[in-house]
Amino acid sequence: QVQVVESGGGLVQSGGSSGLSCVVSGVKYAIYAMAWYREAPGKQREVVARITQTGLTHYADSVKGRFAISSDNARKAVYLQMNKLKPEDTAVYYCVIESVEDYWGQGTQVTVSS
């Protein structure tokens, strides 16, 4: 049984920093990439950052220069460091593991107060 467990997030002041962690277990097949998505109220879910097994990263334009994604392949973990947070970063953040199918975490709330 695949489990994707996220931690971190919460309430942060505008301009502050926060970090998210995600650990996956039970995946039987190769993991191609790991990513963070977010869904804000009234908006479509969007990819925030993605990292492949070889370390290639991709960021949404809205977070470039502020967020950093990293991973620990041995631990099957992915992290998201979020700096210079803005109220528009408020959303539920989801960890996604890309394998033969995609596995999603339950989501963790990040709220940035102005």
Side-chain angles (χ1 to χ4, degrees):
Q1 182 178 354
V2 177
Q3 288 190 319
V4 181
V5 181
E6 301 137 333
S7 59
L11 178 63
V12 185
Q13 286 192 333
S14 181
S17 298
S18 186
L20 303 178
S21 300
C22 173
V23 179
V24 59
S25 61
V27 178
K28 296 182 179 180
Y29 302 101
I31 295 174
Y32 305 132
M34 294 183 278
W36 290 95
Y37 282 67
R38 69 184 179 187
E39 186 171 356
K43 296 185 178 180
Q44 285 190 330
R45 190 173 291 181
E46 63 174 352
V47 58
V48 176
R50 181 178 182 268
I51 185 167
T52 70
Q53 285 299 90
T54 58
L56 292 176
T57 58
H58 166 80
Y59 295 93
D61 288 342
S62 58
V63 306
K64 281 181 181 176
R66 299 188 299 120
F67 289 14
I69 188 171
S70 61
S71 64
D72 183 335
N73 294 338
R75 294 190 62 212
K76 296 184 179 178
V78 62
Y79 311 96
L80 186 68
Q81 178 62 39
M82 304 179 290
N83 301 318
K84 299 179 181 178
L85 283 160
K86 304 174 181 180
E88 51 263 44
D89 293 319
T90 295
V92 177
Y93 285 70
Y94 298 90
C95 173
V96 180
I97 308 301
E98 299 177 14
S99 182
V100 292
E101 60 181 283
D102 292 348
Y103 301 101
W104 287 70
Q106 77 284 359
T108 185
Q109 177 71 45
V110 174
T111 302
V112 184
S113 62
S114 57

